[in-house]
Amino acid sequence: MFSFFKKDPTKKLHKQLSIKLEQAMHAQRNGDIRKYSELSFEADQIDKQIIEIEKQAKQDG
């Protein structure tokens, strides 16, 4: 009924993803490829969570 009052569950994850990608960019620019790889992997995991939540929302809605 009042679905517009519900919080977006992916909003926090999108913010985390943005932060991880920015950190990865800085690590790459500084030449720290190992740190870049770790941060990119973490960003990929967050992105997969976002996709899964959005997929479930489409199925429920």
Side-chain angles (χ1 to χ4, degrees):
M1 182 170 163
F2 291 100
S3 63
F4 57 90
F5 287 123
K6 292 182 182 178
K7 290 185 178 181
D8 183 13
T10 62
K11 187 175 182 179
K12 184 177 178 183
L13 290 174
H14 280 291
K15 188 169 185 169
Q16 289 177 349
L17 177 62
S18 176
I19 291 169
K20 288 290 180 190
L21 290 173
E22 186 174 349
Q23 290 173 343
M25 177 194 64
H26 288 295
Q28 185 181 30
R29 285 184 178 175
N30 291 332
D32 191 353
I33 301 304
R34 179 169 286 147
K35 186 71 172 174
Y36 167 74
S37 177
E38 291 172 3
L39 291 168
S40 295
F41 177 77
E42 291 174 15
D44 187 49
Q45 296 300 314
I46 294 170
D47 189 43
K48 288 179 182 178
Q49 288 178 348
I50 292 170
I51 292 169
E52 187 64 32
I53 290 171
E54 289 174 347
K55 188 189 320 181
Q56 286 179 354
K58 285 183 181 179
Q59 289 176 354
D60 294 342

